[in-house]
Amino acid sequence: MKVTIKEVAKLANVSPSTVSRVISDNSRISLDTKKKVNEAMKELGYHPNAIARSLVNKSTHTIGVVMPKSAHLSLANPFFPEALRGISARANKKGFFVMLSVEDNEMDKHSNIENIVRAGVVDGVIMLYYRLGDETFNMLKDNKFPFVVVGKPVNGNSNRVNYVDNDNIGAAYEATTHLINKNKNPIGLITGPMNLTVSLDRLEGYKRALSDRDISYNSDFVKESDFSQEGGFNAMVTLLKSGNCPKAILATDDLLALGAINAIKKAGLKIPRDISIISFNNIPAAEFLTPPLTSIDINPFELGYEATELLFQCLENRKSTYQARIVPTKLIERGSC
Amino acid sequence: MKVTIKEVAKLANVSPSTVSRVISDNSRISLDTKKKVNEAMKELGYHPNAIARSLVNKSTHTIGVVMPKSAHLSLANPFFPEALRGISARANKKGFFVMLSVEDNEMDKHSNIENIVRAGVVDGVIMLYYRLGDETFNMLKDNKFPFVVVGKPVNGNSNRVNYVDNDNIGAAYEATTHLINKNKNPIGLITGPMNLTVSLDRLEGYKRALSDRDISYNSDFVKESDFSQEGGFNAMVTLLKSGNCPKAILATDDLLALGAINAIKKAGLKIPRDISIISFNNIPAAEFLTPPLTSIDINPFELGYEATELLFQCLENRKSTYQARIVPTKLIERGSC
DNA sequence: AATAATTGTGCAACCGTTTGCACAAAAAAA
DNA sequence: TTTTTTTGTGCAAACGGTTGCACAATTATT
């Protein structure tokens, strides 16, 4: 069926090894032979079989990408397609393939990615999320399998893991400062779950920005919530009801902002006149809202691209040294501040 | 490094072939031996190497998925992550892996998916889009490689291709009827490019719904546009300026609807009081608009799932018979009609 | 008791490449 | 001219599994 190296060899009147060497452009092969073999390959439409090659090379030229199943994360968010584009772009450039694994808790015993790793079909893995005590994470770590996390693993781990992340402290600092500069005060923070590094970092940036402008930090203005529209709504309602409602809101996720916006509108207040709002992720809906939402683009394409780059670096250096890469964010100013 | 079948064989005091047969649960192996071998496998932490297996089986247990690069398609749209979830769910169930290829016109010679197919690393392919005269499509067809398209390939092809699609005629019929039932008349159609099957089908459904209610079709009420917010905006402006502006709009894509909504608001008209609007895809932003947008959910998870199912069927039946599968849509009623 | 069928296992070839080693021919050095 | 080096190619053994065939041991059939 498929044409093999042997048939090329026969047609070119050489041995299979010679053909192999022509493919890898070995310098010991004479120009004559090279031409002869190349012609034979063209004539037969030969393409080397990656599987056979992998077997002997012990490298599949494939990276695995793990996506969380949790629909809500990916739903309102171009993060995953964009990150995949970034990964794909970098991988293609190096002739690597990309194998996808969507986490799925319906698996009987082993997760899909575990099977992939065990079966030896990928050289390394990129995790597009991090959860505390994540099984996949631990399994990769235990097996000393090369992998990179997008997002910063919690403190205990972060110096023994390769990861790519935004400067969340810096971005939150910038956003908060942006609000301060608009003379909005006090500033409230509606944040996602505090067991996530990203939340902690953004809180830290918020605090630092306040401190640098000599504004005292008041935990009454900080509301924690899960990543949902309702959560944002409820948090905002609580803030509105308190005697001293913030004049501006920093939300750590656009979804939270959407909820907060609804609460603000319901209270009969105007954005940005009465309350300004800024948030993270720059979802597509942001520009269609009234007023359009000022948001921070976290650059998912670049996160994917850099993660892949870093993974390649791991695969080349045998020794395991850990590295973190930071991808810049961008504040997209629209009408909500 | 990695433990192989031979080491298991040695530990269990049998030949590698016996171990292999235990793995494949061959009925000729005695219970005693099975137990002995299973213990040895457990003790050594053995996992069969998929690459080696693929080489002899001539099957990689992997399907390739082609995503278009075009950012705008995936941007506002949970279609791709959802479709991938569906593909993944079905593939995992069968122990198949999923290899991703994002189309990329920066490739020098061959597209990524072409390399994947040529290298023999996938058993079949799912295309998550269709473009007229698409190179990937033609290349798969020319090679008689098993593949399934999500979305209906244009007429000339559709009977010699496996595909999964929505009943777009039916869905547009339903949407149009929904508007007619609200006593909205005339009804305008803002559609994407007419060289796409999906546009033609939705136009057809629109026409049929009118005809069934004895409303005459008037091409002045139909505006073609590219898939962009601006396109929708401009189309709507044209309709508004005409002496006889529709009282309801069917848009073939939420993005078009977003543009149209802006135009309507700008004209000082109210939705749904003055003009109703309904569209396709049910993007996440839909529920956050004011008023929330009534939209048709095309069920991308199911599209992916069914496509994978169909592909598996192709891989099993050697003979190439073509099949189409239809995934139901769902009209999500919100406040815009 | 002799023959046939069944059961359980191993041998060895094969899947399509790569690569260390050997070796002849040609070129360079002595 | 002889010896050494270089150049170009082939042989055969991997890589880690699967599977047809052979064959001994057991069980069933006559």
Side-chain angles (χ1 to χ4, degrees):
Chain A
M1 195 98 21
K2 287 242 78 184
V3 29
T4 76
I5 207 171
K6 290 179 190 168
E7 323 188 37
V8 176
K10 192 173 294 171
L11 182 62
N13 256 314
V14 295
S15 78
S17 21
T18 301
V19 177
S20 173
R21 284 189 256 258
V22 170
I23 293 168
S24 58
D25 204 33
N26 186 308
S27 62
R28 299 284 285 271
I29 302 292
S30 72
L31 277 173
D32 255 20
T33 316
K34 274 185 187 166
K35 200 157 74 180
K36 207 167 50 175
V37 170
N38 278 320
E39 274 163 12
M41 294 200 300
K42 197 152 293 170
E43 187 172 335
L44 296 177
Y46 170 77
H47 284 267
N49 180 307
I51 299 296
R53 211 194 272 241
S54 296
L55 187 57
V56 34
N57 289 336
K58 289 162 169 329
S59 152
T60 57
H61 270 55
T62 304
I63 62 181
V65 176
V66 194
M67 276 174 68
K69 131 194 130 286
S70 33
H72 79 269
L73 273 180
S74 54
L75 213 68
N77 210 312
F79 179 83
F80 293 100
E82 278 300 291
L84 284 176
R85 277 213 313 130
I87 291 169
S88 217
R90 185 64 190 87
N92 284 180
K93 216 183 204 173
K94 209 184 163 73
F96 267 60
F97 300 135
V98 175
M99 182 156 285
L100 194 71
S101 168
V102 182
E103 283 304 290
D104 177 4
N105 48 14
E106 285 174 34
M107 302 296 292
D108 349 324
K109 300 177 58 186
H110 300 296
S111 68
N112 180 240
I113 187 66
E114 184 161 2
N115 290 334
I116 289 176
V117 167
R118 289 268 151 73
V121 296
V122 298
D123 293 347
V125 166
I126 292 175
M127 288 184 67
L128 285 185
Y129 69 98
Y130 175 80
R131 264 192 302 265
L132 189 61
D134 186 77
E135 278 188 32
T136 301
F137 179 93
N138 291 331
M139 171 264 181
L140 293 170
K141 198 113 186 70
D142 293 349
N143 289 3
K144 298 188 195 309
F145 200 80
F147 74 106
V148 172
V149 178
V150 173
K152 179 159 62 177
V154 283
N155 304 333
N157 281 317
S158 39
N159 49 351
R160 312 204 117 274
V161 168
N162 288 292
Y163 71 88
V164 175
D165 198 7
N166 301 115
D167 173 10
N168 281 307
I169 298 181
Y173 183 98
E174 183 187 1
T176 309
T177 303
H178 183 76
L179 292 172
I180 297 174
N181 287 343
K182 300 258 178 188
N183 269 320
K184 300 287 185 168
N185 196 10
I187 296 172
L189 174 68
I190 300 180
T191 174
M194 277 316 212
N195 59 355
L196 298 177
T197 327
V198 58
S199 304
L200 295 170
D201 281 358
R202 288 176 186 171
L203 172 62
E204 179 63 23
Y206 165 82
K207 283 183 178 173
R208 286 193 198 168
L210 295 183
S211 156
D212 279 6
R213 293 301 194 87
D214 293 320
I215 304 173
S216 66
Y217 169 75
N218 181 345
S219 66
D220 291 346
F221 294 139
V222 176
K223 297 294 170 201
E224 181 178 348
S225 152
D226 57 350
F227 281 124
S228 72
Q229 211 204 337
E230 295 76 37
F233 183 90
N234 294 333
M236 192 66 225
V237 166
T238 315
L239 287 170
L240 286 164
K241 276 190 190 155
S242 75
N244 186 11
C245 179
K247 291 282 173 291
I249 297 292
L250 169 60
T252 65
D253 190 280
D254 288 334
L255 216 54
L256 295 174
L258 288 172
I261 288 171
N262 282 350
I264 293 169
K265 284 186 177 169
K266 208 166 197 170
L269 298 174
K270 282 278 181 208
I271 299 171
R273 200 194 56 193
D274 302 314
I275 300 184
S276 288
I277 186 160
I278 184 170
S279 60
F280 275 84
N281 282 359
N282 192 29
I283 59 171
E287 56 175 309
F288 301 128
L289 298 175
T290 37
L293 179 62
T294 296
S295 187
I296 292 170
D297 185 353
I298 63 170
N299 213 343
F301 179 93
E302 211 60 35
L303 284 167
Y305 195 96
E306 287 296 320
T308 311
E309 179 93 20
L310 181 51
L311 182 57
F312 284 151
Q313 214 169 295
C314 298
L315 294 178
E316 272 152 26
N317 305 345
R318 299 209 44 69
K319 57 172 185 168
S320 50
T321 157
Y322 298 105
Q323 200 182 121
R325 294 202 183 187
I326 302 304
V327 168
T329 55
K330 188 167 179 206
L331 197 158
I332 310 287
E333 188 155 9
R334 296 202 181 85
S336 66
C337 299
Chain B
M1 195 97 22
K2 287 241 76 185
V3 30
T4 76
I5 206 170
K6 288 177 191 167
E7 322 187 38
V8 176
K10 193 173 293 171
L11 182 62
N13 257 312
V14 294
S15 77
S17 22
T18 301
V19 177
S20 174
R21 283 189 257 259
V22 170
I23 293 167
S24 59
D25 204 33
N26 187 307
S27 63
R28 300 283 287 271
I29 302 291
S30 72
L31 276 173
D32 255 18
T33 315
K34 272 185 189 167
K35 200 158 71 180
K36 206 169 51 180
V37 170
N38 278 320
E39 274 163 13
M41 294 201 300
K42 198 152 294 172
E43 187 173 332
L44 297 176
Y46 171 76
H47 283 267
N49 179 305
I51 299 297
R53 212 195 273 241
S54 296
L55 187 57
V56 34
N57 289 336
K58 288 162 172 323
S59 153
T60 57
H61 270 54
T62 303
I63 61 181
V65 175
V66 195
M67 276 174 67
K69 132 192 127 289
S70 33
H72 80 270
L73 273 180
S74 56
L75 212 68
N77 210 311
F79 179 83
F80 292 100
E82 278 300 292
L84 284 176
R85 276 212 315 129
I87 291 169
S88 216
R90 186 65 189 89
N92 285 181
K93 216 182 202 175
K94 211 184 160 74
F96 267 61
F97 301 135
V98 175
M99 182 156 284
L100 195 70
S101 166
V102 181
E103 284 302 293
D104 178 3
N105 48 15
E106 284 174 34
M107 303 296 292
D108 349 324
K109 299 178 59 188
H110 300 296
S111 68
N112 179 240
I113 187 66
E114 184 159 2
N115 290 333
I116 289 176
V117 167
R118 289 267 151 75
V121 296
V122 298
D123 294 346
V125 165
I126 291 175
M127 288 185 67
L128 284 185
Y129 68 97
Y130 175 80
R131 264 193 301 265
L132 189 61
D134 185 76
E135 277 188 33
T136 302
F137 179 93
N138 291 333
M139 170 263 180
L140 293 169
K141 198 115 188 71
D142 292 349
N143 288 3
K144 297 187 195 313
F145 200 79
F147 75 106
V148 172
V149 178
V150 173
K152 180 158 62 178
V154 283
N155 304 332
N157 281 318
S158 38
N159 48 352
R160 313 205 117 274
V161 167
N162 287 293
Y163 71 89
V164 175
D165 198 7
N166 300 114
D167 173 11
N168 281 307
I169 298 181
Y173 183 97
E174 183 187 0
T176 308
T177 303
H178 183 78
L179 293 172
I180 297 174
N181 287 344
K182 302 259 177 189
N183 270 319
K184 301 287 186 169
N185 198 6
I187 296 172
L189 175 68
I190 300 182
T191 176
M194 277 315 212
N195 59 354
L196 298 177
T197 328
V198 59
S199 302
L200 295 170
D201 281 358
R202 290 177 184 171
L203 172 62
E204 179 63 23
Y206 165 82
K207 283 183 177 172
R208 286 194 198 169
L210 294 182
S211 155
D212 278 5
R213 295 298 196 89
D214 293 321
I215 303 171
S216 67
Y217 169 77
N218 181 343
S219 66
D220 291 346
F221 294 138
V222 176
K223 298 294 170 202
E224 181 178 349
S225 154
D226 58 350
F227 281 124
S228 73
Q229 211 204 337
E230 295 76 37
F233 184 90
N234 294 333
M236 192 66 224
V237 166
T238 315
L239 287 170
L240 285 164
K241 276 191 189 153
S242 76
N244 186 10
C245 179
K247 291 282 174 293
I249 296 293
L250 169 61
T252 64
D253 190 279
D254 288 334
L255 217 54
L256 296 173
L258 288 171
I261 288 171
N262 282 350
I264 293 169
K265 284 186 176 168
K266 208 165 198 169
L269 298 175
K270 282 277 180 207
I271 299 171
R273 201 192 57 191
D274 303 313
I275 299 184
S276 289
I277 186 160
I278 185 171
S279 61
F280 276 84
N281 283 357
N282 192 30
I283 58 170
E287 56 176 309
F288 302 126
L289 298 175
T290 38
L293 178 61
T294 296
S295 187
I296 291 170
D297 185 354
I298 63 170
N299 212 343
F301 179 93
E302 212 60 36
L303 285 167
Y305 195 96
E306 287 296 318
T308 311
E309 178 94 21
L310 180 50
L311 182 57
F312 285 150
Q313 213 168 298
C314 297
L315 294 178
E316 273 153 25
N317 305 347
R318 298 212 43 70
K319 56 170 187 167
S320 50
T321 157
Y322 299 105
Q323 201 183 120
R325 293 201 183 188
I326 302 304
V327 169
T329 54
K330 188 169 177 201
L331 197 158
I332 311 286
E333 188 155 8
R334 296 203 181 86
S336 66
C337 298

